[in-house]
Amino acid sequence: MSETGKPEGESHETDAAETVAGESAAAGTATPQSSKWGAAYGEAGDDGEAAGHDDERQARIAALEAENADVKDRLLRLAADMENLRRRTEREIKDARTYAVTSFAREMLSVADNLSRALEAVPEEHRADESSGLKALIEGVDMTEKGLLATLEKHGVRKLEPQGQRFDPNFHQAMFEIPNPEVPNGTVLQVVQAGYAIGDRVLRPAMVGVSKGGPKAMPAEARGAEAEAGTGQ
């Protein structure tokens, strides 16, 4: 018998039951609080994971935008390069067509010079003398020279006519100076050898004599303005 007056076995069973009941009560009391903390921790974990995914997406978007901008810039540069190449190719083709006969035309200038010298060598009195037989020959040489110049002009070669014009170092070569106070200084008064140009380039500069001692030559712009003013009056 135990001190409580109950049998010893029954006393042990009662103590065990009370212990289990106490533990159950304690567990029942702690369960709601533990559930709240667990839910809070779970939500915090989900929010952190979502924030991590958002940062990853933003970084990926920024990388794609940078890559897109780089590709766009390279395409624009490529398009500009292709346009420059197209223009340069067109210019080179045009120049090739225009100046393809430069070397040949330069060689033919000596032929034109010889024909011109042949005509100049004939005295004026023999030009109209039909009995001497030179008139037909002169006409034939003159026609040959004109035909040669026409053929050269057809291929872009033109003869320069600097007589009375202002001296242009790009197309003229001054051989000597001619004192003449009546004409503007730097005016071409004499052509020693004809000059030729092909396109915008000089094929052979004209050898000329230039005036000296006259009034200063008026610039082209000033001459144009003066001419317009005279027309207005």
Side-chain angles (χ1 to χ4, degrees), residues 115-182:
L115 292 174
S116 179
R117 293 189 187 101
L119 293 174
E120 293 173 357
V122 179
E124 189 65 31
E125 60 271 13
H126 293 298
R127 291 178 178 270
D129 188 3
E130 297 181 359
S131 61
S132 63
L134 291 177
K135 183 177 180 180
L137 177 62
I138 293 172
E139 290 178 353
V141 174
D142 184 55
M143 292 177 62
T144 303
E145 181 189 21
K146 290 179 180 179
L148 176 60
L149 294 178
T151 302
L152 291 175
E153 188 173 356
K154 181 180 178 181
H155 291 278
V157 180
R158 70 182 190 278
K159 186 177 181 179
L160 300 177
E161 301 292 343
Q163 186 76 30
Q165 296 182 1
R166 185 180 181 184
F167 176 77
D168 186 351
N170 296 317
F171 294 94
H172 309 150
Q173 181 177 349
M175 303 302 296
F176 50 86
E177 292 181 330
I178 303 175
N180 190 334
E182 298 180 358

Side-chain angles (χ1 to χ4, degrees), residues 106 109 160 162 167-175 191-197 201-208:
R106 187 176 288 111
L109 294 184
L160 300 177
F167 176 77
D168 186 351
N170 296 317
F171 294 94
H172 309 150
Q173 181 177 349
M175 303 302 296
V191 179
V192 180
Q193 186 181 58
Y196 293 85
R201 303 177 184 176
V202 60
L203 188 61
R204 187 182 71 183
M207 297 182 181
V208 299

Side-chain angles (χ1 to χ4, degrees), residues 222-233:
R223 290 198 303 270
E226 183 177 350
E228 292 179 0
T231 305
Q233 293 177 356

Side-chain angles (χ1 to χ4, degrees), residues 37 52 70 76 78-79 90 95 98 121 126 139 141 150 162 179 215 220 228 232:
W37 283 108
D70 181 65
L76 291 175
L78 179 60
E90 289 181 353
D95 291 345
T98 303
H126 293 298
E139 290 178 353
V141 174
E228 292 179 0

